[in-house]
């Protein structure tokens, strides 16, 4: 008798409870990380890089004037099922239209039944710049912009543009349960949502029908939620989870020294700063703001707050940003 293949599972010690799984509503890493396994976008970022590769669109054409994008969609992609929903068709252009029109059109029936904000979509002015989204065939979608946007394809590779099921949305509308799209998510991604207990865990199962089987290496994925960074590290050391993130800066040296652990670091894509209301005197004077800048001991803040795990900011953007200016020099600390 042969043995059944051993079930492969991975436990990720995550740092917080997501508010939900409808990615278009949220901007935090905690929300997006929890939804990431469930969905695909038309285009996706190459792992570990910022260039864009095909997702639910196998290819796309851009018109010479830069205003019309034609996406050619992947065929044979299955949506997930749950107790209440079994898809009757594969992914097609209608799902792309539903996903984008719900964000574009305040009068959209689903948007009216489940009024939500779309902070990323609107923050990038996509609500103003996308003139229309149309299908020219079951697997072809054309998006027309009002003005040229060089970053458009990269923008729609972000979490908020995850493709949802139009058929599932229609069923939820009929049942009067549109908010289930957020709490009982259905996507096309490599993992299928099983259940979520707030402040405890999220469970996913590997998608046996995934369109790219090489990306589904696990039977079970579990997010074990704990807001305390030192507890997460203890669980990691005890083998209760295989991955965690955001350790306390004070623990970093010990983690580096542990031969059983691998510590990955890279500069954060963010910035800490003090903002002044320049409508109030004396902050309306540049010299006052420059003097305050010289009076802040940035190095001691880095040492005390970040315990050395940070770097001095001299630009209004982080050094990982493509347009960072190396030539800018900081004013010296001089009380």
């Amino acid at each position: 008798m042969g043995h059944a293949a051993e079930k492969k599972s991975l436990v990720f010690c995550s740092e917080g409870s997501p508010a939900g799984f409808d990615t278009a509503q949220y901007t935090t890493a905690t929300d997006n990380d929890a939804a990431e396994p469930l969905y695909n976008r038309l285009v996706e970022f190459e792992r570990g890089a910022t260039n864009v590769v095909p997702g639910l669109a196998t290819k796309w054409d851009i018109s010479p004037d830069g205003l019309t994008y034609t996406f050619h969609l992947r065929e044979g992609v299955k949506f997930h099922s749950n107790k209440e929903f079994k898809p009757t068709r594969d992914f097609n252009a209608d799902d792309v239209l539903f996903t984008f029109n719900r964000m574009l059109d305040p009068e959209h029936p689903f948007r009216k039944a489940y009024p939500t904000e779309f902070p990323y979509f609107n923050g990038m002015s996509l609500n103003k710049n996308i003139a229309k989204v149309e299908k020219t065939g079951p697997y072809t979608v054309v998006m027309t912009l009002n003005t040229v946007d060089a970053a458009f394809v990269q923008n729609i590779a972000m979490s908020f543009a995850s493709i949802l099921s139009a058929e599932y949305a229609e069923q939820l509308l009929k049942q009067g349960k549109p908010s289930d799209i957020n709490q009982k998510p259905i996507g096309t991604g490599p993992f299928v949502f099983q259940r979520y207990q707030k402040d405890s865990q999220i469970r996913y199962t590997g998608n046996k029908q995934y369109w790219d089987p090489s990306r589904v290496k696990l039977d079970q994925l579990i997010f074990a939620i704990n807001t305390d960074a030192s507890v997460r590290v203890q669980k990691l050391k005890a083998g209760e989870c295989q991955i965690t993130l955001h350790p306390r800066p004070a623990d970093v040296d010990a983690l580096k020294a542990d031969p059983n652990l691998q510590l990955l670091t890279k500069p954060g894509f963010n910035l800490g700063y003090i903002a002044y209301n320049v409508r109030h005197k004396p902050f309306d004077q540049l010299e006052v703001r420059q003097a305050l800048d010289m009076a802040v001991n940035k190095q001691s803040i880095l040492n005390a707050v970040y315990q050395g795990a940070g770097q001095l900011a001299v630009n209004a953007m982080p050094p990982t940003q493509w347009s960072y200016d190396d030539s800018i020099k900081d004013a010296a600390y001089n009380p």
Side-chain angles (χ1 to χ4, degrees), residues 277-310:
N277 186 336
V278 295
R279 282 181 281 200
H280 286 264
K281 290 184 182 312
F283 303 118
D284 56 342
Q285 294 175 57
L286 174 64
E287 291 82 357
V288 171
R289 301 196 299 273
Q290 287 172 324
L292 287 167
D293 183 44
M294 294 166 75
V296 173
N297 190 338
K298 296 177 192 174
Q299 192 57 54
S300 70
I301 294 173
L302 280 181
N303 296 343
V305 180
Y306 297 97
Q307 287 156 339

Side-chain angles (χ1 to χ4, degrees), residues 43-54 60 153-154 157:
V43 296
E44 302 186 344
F45 290 114
E46 187 181 1
R47 185 169 299 177
T50 52
N51 50 305
V52 168
V53 294
W60 50 95
V153 173
Q154 273 82 0

Side-chain angles (χ1 to χ4, degrees), residues 140-153:
T140 315
V141 171
V142 178
M143 296 196 194
T144 309
L145 306 186
N146 289 314
T147 54
V148 174
D149 178 0
F152 179 65
V153 173

